[in-house]
Every structure is written in C-alpha cells, then in structure tokens.
Amino acid sequence: ITGEKQNIPLIALRIKNMDEIKTSKSNAEETLQKTITVAEESKALIYENQDNLFFMFVPSKTRTFKNEQTAISTAKKIQEILNEHNKRFKQRVNYGIAINYGTIVGKNEPSSFKFMSMGTLLSTAKKLANISNGEIVLGEKFNERISSEAKTEKHTEGETPFYTIKNFRDSAEHEKFIKSFMQRNN
C-alpha cells in the first residue's frame, strides 16, 4: 500500500463467544452495534477481523495527534456498555479489551480507508485482548505514551508484558501545587 505513515492508538475488542452470539437470538448483537456507534462518535475507524473489532484513532481522520485520552475514554465507554449488557441479559458477552500503539500506512479512498499495519501492532493487540477478561489492558508502547497521565501496573502472561490502569493523575491538583510553589518563591 502506498500512503502516509501514521502513529495511532488502537483499541482491540475481542468477543470470545462470537459464534454463540451469532447463532442465538439475543440482544448481544445490538449491544455490539452500540460499541461500534460509540467508537464512530469518537471518530475511530472500525476494522472487523473474525472475533475481533479494531477501533483505530487515525490522525488524518480525528484531526489531532493526541488520541491517547480519546482511546482510553472510548475503551471505558465500551467496557461500560458490555458490563451493563451482562448485568441485564441472560446471553452474556465474554470479551477482552486492549489498547495498543503503533504505526500504520494509511490511504484515504472515496469509499473507504485502506491501511496496512507496520510491525506487530495488530497481532500484539489481538494477543492482549485475548489475555484480558473484561478489563482494559495496555500494550507497552501505549503505556509509555500515557505514563505521565496515568499510574499503571505491569503484569505478564507467558512472555507477554501488559499493563492495567490503576488510576489517573489529576493535572489540576499538580497545577495548584505548582502555582502555590511559585507564589511562595516570589
């Protein structure tokens, strides 16, 4: 593919019981459609591959290079939608959510967006989503990108390192501290 190289955050949503959902008459497919709608509202591009849904935050579509927070908040909304579904309905959705960061070569075409993943972006995201059991797990590269904004905890599954978000650092609190510190020094 010829196109422009772009660094993107990517959410991988793996539906572990997709065959069961497709064969049964339930509200699960409607719930999955809600997750796609949430991602589209965040200007994510959707790519479907077997039991995986990938939501890509491509700078040429989102019009910003800082898509990490958008990816995290979208992943949280998707998690909430799926957890709410599992509380309400008999047909459960077994899922895993992973957020990874990497490079794609992308090209806008009139009817679609053609892309090719560089390196292990998609395969690592798939692997992480498979490890996840309903929680949001982060890849190493994505963790490096948000390390200043969030406190994460490292885990390993086999030889695959991944991270979970413990909490977010409150930037307003830091700004307040810095202002008071500057005033004391003046």
Side-chain angles (χ1 to χ4, degrees):
I1 279 186
T2 56
E4 58 182 300
K5 223 177 184 182
Q6 299 182 60
N7 292 325
I8 64 161
L10 163 120
I11 300 172
L13 172 62
R14 180 174 174 83
I15 307 301
K16 297 177 181 183
N17 59 341
M18 184 66 95
D19 296 335
E20 189 182 310
I21 288 169
K22 284 185 176 176
T23 57
S24 69
K25 296 276 185 224
S26 69
N27 296 19
E29 285 193 29
E30 188 180 307
T31 301
L32 292 177
Q33 188 56 50
K34 280 183 191 173
T35 64
I36 291 169
T37 304
V38 163
E40 286 173 340
E41 287 169 358
S42 301
K43 297 180 182 173
L45 296 172
I46 289 92
Y47 170 61
E48 194 171 341
N49 180 333
Q50 295 160 350
D51 298 346
N52 298 291
L53 286 169
F54 296 100
F55 306 112
M56 302 181 297
F57 297 89
V58 181
S60 63
K61 289 286 185 189
T62 61
R63 302 280 180 233
T64 178
F65 290 103
K66 296 259 184 223
N67 290 308
E68 289 81 4
Q69 286 297 337
T70 309
I72 290 171
S73 64
T74 303
K76 282 183 176 179
K77 288 176 191 169
I78 289 169
Q79 183 183 37
E80 288 168 12
I81 289 168
L82 293 170
N83 287 341
E84 186 63 32
H85 170 88
N86 287 342
K87 284 179 192 169
R88 282 187 172 171
F89 300 106
K90 187 177 163 186
Q91 171 70 55
R92 296 183 59 78
V93 177
N94 296 332
Y95 69 94
I97 299 177
I99 307 176
N100 201 9
Y101 187 85
T103 306
I104 63 165
V105 173
K107 180 180 179 184
N108 269 322
E109 293 199 350
S111 61
S112 64
F113 181 81
K114 301 245 190 250
F115 76 96
M116 186 177 82
S117 168
M118 303 291 284
T120 60
L121 173 66
L122 288 178
S123 59
T124 303
K126 273 186 189 179
K127 195 183 292 183
L128 292 172
N130 201 31
I131 290 170
S132 168
N133 284 317
E135 73 275 3
I136 299 170
V137 299
L138 311 175
E140 279 189 291
K141 288 180 182 174
F142 189 81
N143 183 58
E144 290 169 14
R145 302 278 304 177
I146 64 154
S147 61
S148 64
E149 298 149 24
K151 185 174 181 182
T152 57
E153 187 176 326
K154 185 176 183 175
H155 307 279
T156 51
E157 176 88 16
E159 291 185 14
T160 309
F162 64 94
Y163 298 82
T164 54
I165 297 172
K166 299 287 284 173
N167 58 18
F168 285 96
R169 295 189 174 102
D170 188 11
S171 60
E173 202 174 290
H174 293 304
E175 287 173 22
K176 194 170 114 180
F177 171 78
I178 290 169
K179 279 183 183 176
S180 67
F181 181 78
M182 295 299 280
Q183 286 174 346
R184 279 187 299 219
N185 283 347
N186 289 345

